[in-house]
Amino acid sequence: AQSVTQLDSQVPVFEEAPVELRCNYSSSVSVYLFWYVQYPNQGLQLLLKYLSGSTLVESINGFEAEFNKSQTSFHLRKPSVHISDTAEYFCAVSNTGFQKLVFGTGTRLLVSP
Amino acid sequence: DGGITQSPKYLFRKEGQNVTLSCEQNLNHDAMYWYRQDPGQGLRLIYYSQIVNDFQKGDIAEGYSVSREKKESFPLTVTSAQKNPTAFYLCASSEPRGAGELFFGEGSRLTVL
């Protein structure tokens, strides 16, 4: 069975500093990988996804994630965070044969001035 | 605009009462899902439906029931058999032959007093 591990439950960072949110997955088959963002009392929004091709994927608001098959990782990075990036971030995986997503437990990003 | 509508946003009920959460989508998606979110536990799948008049149990189906009589609608009933129903409930949908990417509603927060 697939699983997703987000080791950091909370990551505090100062505004304009870089950040990395870690995600590791376990799967014996090819996968699709996703990062979702959730603002307080709202649903989840897709931030970026890896389906195939280039292992580096980017979002429109400056986040990027790199698929590393050998390390089974899909870490999320941003070179300079804003206060507005404060939210909870979920990593998710699905295998290429069936669409049911498996989510990690989430990482709360806290950006302070 | 296409999307998923969940109602009500907030719901309070007394212990022992059944409650039904509404989920409607106009994305023309075949598959729909219900997740439960608790602090520190990420998202856990309750039920999912890949087609009208068919649905399957997820990881934590006990104490919940669903129906899928129309493509657009996937209501969730939290029964009195659910031992700890206070949570944030998220409905989602996906394209039938996509990569598993989920589109989420805004969520319903149920508090049992």
Side-chain angles (χ1 to χ4, degrees), chain B residues 54-67:
Chain B
D54 187 45
F55 49 82
Q56 288 80 41
K57 293 182 179 180
D59 302 316
I60 56 164
E62 185 176 350
Y64 300 97
S65 66
V66 294
S67 63

Side-chain angles (χ1 to χ4, degrees), chain A residues 87-100:
Chain A
E88 189 149 21
Y89 293 80
F90 291 92
C91 182
V93 62
S94 70
N95 68 49
T96 57
F98 179 59
Q99 300 158 23
K100 192 171 67 168

Side-chain angles (χ1 to χ4, degrees), chain A residues 17-94:
Chain A
V19 70
E20 177 180 85
L21 306 183
R22 296 180 291 170
C23 172
N24 288 89
Y25 68 93
S26 66
S27 176
S28 59
V29 299
S30 297
V31 296
Y32 299 133
L33 293 157
F34 305 82
W35 274 101
Y36 284 84
V37 59
Q38 184 182 35
Y39 299 101
N41 290 313
Q42 293 187 23
L44 278 68
Q45 303 170 33
L46 182 68
L47 189 60
L48 47 75
K49 61 186 176 184
Y50 169 79
L51 304 182
S52 64
S54 173
T55 57
L56 183 66
V57 291
E58 299 176 347
S59 72
I60 59 173
N61 57 353
F63 283 94
E64 65 178 30
E66 186 162 18
F67 169 54
N68 187 318
K69 187 174 182 179
S70 63
Q71 297 186 10
T72 59
S73 68
F74 191 55
H75 301 330
L76 182 70
R77 302 183 182 94
K78 189 171 185 179
S80 176
V81 294
H82 301 137
I83 295 285
S84 59
D85 292 324
T86 294
E88 189 149 21
Y89 293 80
F90 291 92
C91 182
V93 62
S94 70

Side-chain angles (χ1 to χ4, degrees), chain B residues 16-36:
Chain B
Q17 290 182 327
N18 291 355
V19 298
T20 297
L21 308 180
S22 170
C23 178
E24 303 279 332
Q25 57 103 355
N26 60 3
L27 299 169
N28 201 33
H29 287 167
D30 284 317
M32 297 187 73
Y33 310 77
W34 274 105
Y35 286 89
R36 170 180 173 141

Side-chain angles (χ1 to χ4, degrees), chain B residues 1-103:
Chain B
D1 288 336
I4 299 179
T5 302
Q6 290 186 239
S7 63
K9 178 75 172 175
Y10 299 95
L11 184 60
F12 296 88
R13 280 294 181 268
K14 292 182 179 179
E15 196 170 326
Q17 290 182 327
N18 291 355
V19 298
T20 297
L21 308 180
S22 170
C23 178
E24 303 279 332
Q25 57 103 355
N26 60 3
L27 299 169
N28 201 33
H29 287 167
D30 284 317
M32 297 187 73
Y33 310 77
W34 274 105
Y35 286 89
R36 170 180 173 141
Q37 185 177 17
D38 297 281
Q41 297 194 48
L43 276 70
R44 293 182 289 170
L45 183 63
I46 305 172
Y47 268 99
Y48 63 101
S49 168
Q50 294 182 284
I51 198 167
V52 174
N53 292 322
D54 187 45
F55 49 82
Q56 288 80 41
K57 293 182 179 180
D59 302 316
I60 56 164
E62 185 176 350
Y64 300 97
S65 66
V66 294
S67 63
R68 187 83 189 278
E69 297 176 0
K70 298 186 300 181
K71 186 176 184 177
E72 306 80 31
S73 179
F74 192 41
L76 173 74
T77 296
V78 185
T79 75
S80 57
Q82 168 49 231
K83 297 190 188 318
N84 185 19
T86 294
F88 191 53
Y89 292 89
L90 288 160
C91 180
S93 69
S94 69
E95 296 175 344
R97 280 172 289 280
E101 175 185 346
L102 295 177
F103 297 80

